[in-house]
Amino acid sequence: SKDGFEHYMLKEIYEQPKVVKNILENREEIYNSNFSKEELEQIDKIYIVACGTALHAGQNGKFALEMLTGIPVITDIASEFRYNDVFIDEKTLLIVISQSGETADTIGALEKGIRYKAKTLSITNVMDSTIANMTEKSMFCNAGPEISIASTKAYMAQLTVLFLLSLDIALKLKAIDTQTFDKVLASLKEIPEKINIVLKDLTAYKEIAKELKEVNSMFYIGRGSDFITAKEGSLKLKETSYIHSEPFPAGELKHGTMAIIDETSKIIAVAAQSGLDAKTTVNVSELKDKGAKVFSIGTEENEVLKNNSDITILIPKTIDLLVPMLAVVPEQLIAYYTALAKGNDVDHPRNLTKSVISE
Ligand code: M6R
């Protein structure tokens, strides 16, 4: 049931604090589903392969895995990976991520990984799914059934599992000490309450939705994991509101796209990571100079961003690694309210299915 919410999408957005909390409380299950220290010591590279939103979770996972474990990570789109030349052998860990556990391309990618003798690990939201049953190790998101075609809480669950997995691998390989482990875990435990803060006041999201509902095309920008968040926001908006949007790294603006920008342009800028937000803020002021409308997602500390944006959504501070868990929530709500403002069938966007079982 929708628990009093108008749509499953909104209900599932609001379930996110609980989803994170559940996984954290049962985190031993994640650690126990991981490879052993001895097995992990044989790995020299990690591939993360998935489709759509699950791939975006994986792209954030790459930042965490590389930073905490020092092992190089390659991410790939399942439908590309399965037909491209890839560099996998028995020293490769192949991580596949899939909410449904039934996505045809992800299964195809996994079959290829198995053929090349990679170690395989899956992160799914359906325990007895094809993908979960095919991999040596399977981690369960436990987010509850996700009904809305636009994925929200499953993404949040995938991020949580990926961060715990990264911590566990890093500790087993002694790439981090227990203090670092505890510090990241403590920050993770604060995330549910911080998501609740983002969910409290909906005014800004509705205001932005009002501005977006009339546009045919728009942009999302960001750097580092803020760019991944921009990609996820863009996909969510396309899916639910049918507005064309293009996400790209903020630094790429000057290499072509800036030529499009004029007074009619609308941009969502994600500038939430402390290391990179100042750089993206410079791009925001350049966009303002060209007359564009900019809606930004940032933190309290960035006054310049606020001064240069038409509307700024402030998210609570956390460590940079975990910023994607907070920065995505405003985007989900913007997509939801824009779709609603357009009168679209939010939970069942046209031309899409929940589980893509043919390639
Ligand atoms: O079930 P999966 O996670 O394998 O599905 C992958 C994509 O089809 C899915 O994430 C899709 O992009 C969502 N509808 C996005 O909201």
Side-chain angles (χ1 to χ4, degrees):
S1 90
K2 292 187 206 143
D3 286 346
F5 287 96
E6 202 181 332
H7 297 98
Y8 283 109
M9 183 177 176
L10 193 61
K11 173 185 177 244
E12 288 161 2
I13 290 172
Y14 272 84
E15 280 174 336
Q16 294 180 112
K18 195 185 73 197
V19 164
V20 177
K21 211 161 162 260
N22 267 345
I23 299 172
L24 291 177
E25 278 167 7
N26 298 301
R27 61 186 181 279
E28 290 299 325
E29 274 175 38
I30 302 290
Y31 306 151
N32 292 336
S33 314
N34 196 3
F35 286 98
S36 68
K37 176 178 182 294
E38 290 68 32
E39 288 165 319
L40 291 167
E41 276 166 354
Q42 290 161 24
I43 288 167
D44 65 3
K45 118 170 68 58
I46 299 173
Y47 262 92
I48 305 181
V49 179
C51 302
T53 287
L55 177 68
H56 296 155
Q59 289 170 333
N60 279 310
K62 170 187 160 88
F63 285 107
L65 279 164
E66 287 186 336
M67 191 190 125
L68 296 170
T69 73
I71 304 172
V73 181
I74 301 164
T75 61
D76 209 353
I77 299 168
S79 56
E80 294 292 310
F81 175 92
R82 57 186 299 198
Y83 300 118
N84 284 349
D85 289 336
V86 291
F87 303 92
I88 359 174
D89 55 26
E90 59 287 339
K91 288 186 184 152
T92 310
L93 169 61
L94 172 62
I95 301 175
V96 288
I97 309 169
S98 173
Q99 189 285 130
S100 61
E102 302 298 340
T103 300
D105 280 318
T106 312
I107 295 173
L110 186 51
E111 281 166 349
K112 180 169 183 173
I114 293 169
R115 242 182 3 255
Y116 282 76
K117 307 209 162 23
K119 292 188 167 57
T120 56
L121 185 154
S122 62
I123 300 173
T124 72
N125 194 34
V126 181
M127 211 184 242
D128 206 16
S129 57
T130 306
I131 289 173
N133 287 326
M134 278 173 74
T135 50
E136 288 164 72
K137 303 286 176 186
S138 59
M139 294 185 176
F140 180 44
C141 285
N142 205 3
E146 190 179 60
I147 310 290
S148 165
I149 288 188
S151 179
T152 54
K153 66 171 177 174
Y155 179 70
M156 191 62 77
Q158 289 156 358
L159 290 178
T160 315
V161 172
L162 281 161
F163 292 146
L164 289 174
L165 169 66
S166 305
L167 281 172
D168 192 55
I169 296 179
L171 194 66
K172 280 181 177 150
L173 294 178
K174 298 201 165 58
I176 56 169
D177 52 24
T178 48
Q179 281 100 307
T180 309
F181 184 98
D182 291 343
K183 210 186 115 216
V184 177
L185 188 62
S187 300
L188 258 173
K189 287 181 181 165
E190 291 171 0
I191 292 291
E193 213 21 69
K194 290 181 178 174
I195 297 175
N196 272 325
I197 296 172
V198 184
L199 291 173
K200 218 167 248 165
D201 184 1
L202 303 173
T203 329
Y205 314 129
K206 291 179 182 168
E207 238 172 278
I208 296 172
K210 232 187 277 163
E211 298 265 358
L212 294 186
K213 82 177 228 246
E214 309 296 347
V215 308
N216 292 320
S217 180
M218 57 156 311
F219 298 106
Y220 280 75
I221 59 166
R223 290 171 189 255
S225 83
D226 285 343
F227 167 55
I228 311 303
T229 304
K231 290 206 275 190
E232 175 55 12
S234 168
L235 178 63
K236 218 93 298 178
L237 186 79
K238 274 186 267 201
E239 219 176 352
T240 58
S241 74
Y242 317 149
I243 294 170
H244 170 254
S245 71
E246 190 186 334
F248 55 91
E252 277 291 286
L253 268 174
K254 286 181 183 154
H255 300 282
T257 311
M258 205 63 178
I260 303 180
I261 306 297
D262 63 16
E263 310 72 47
T264 65
S265 307
K266 298 201 174 161
I267 292 109
I268 292 186
V270 188
Q273 282 201 300
S274 67
L276 294 166
D277 66 332
K279 299 276 175 201
T280 305
T281 303
V282 173
N283 302 116
V284 167
S285 58
E286 287 164 356
L287 290 164
K288 283 310 294 174
D289 285 345
K290 300 277 168 287
K293 249 198 174 154
V294 183
F295 311 116
S296 59
I297 299 170
T299 59
E300 202 71 63
E301 281 156 27
N302 193 340
E303 277 296 320
V304 191
L305 183 69
K306 260 195 271 180
N307 294 337
N308 280 286
S309 309
D310 292 85
I311 300 176
T312 308
I313 289 158
L314 297 177
I315 58 169
K317 273 298 284 175
T318 179
I319 55 170
D320 276 342
L321 197 64
L322 306 182
V323 165
M325 302 177 91
L326 301 178
V328 74
V329 179
E331 296 183 330
Q332 296 168 340
L333 288 159
I334 291 166
Y336 173 76
Y337 283 110
T338 308
L340 202 66
K342 294 191 74 173
N344 293 353
D345 185 350
V346 180
D347 287 334
H348 308 98
R350 65 188 185 200
N351 312 340
L352 298 176
T353 51
K354 182 67 183 161
S355 173
V356 184
I357 53 171
S358 63
E359 63 176 305

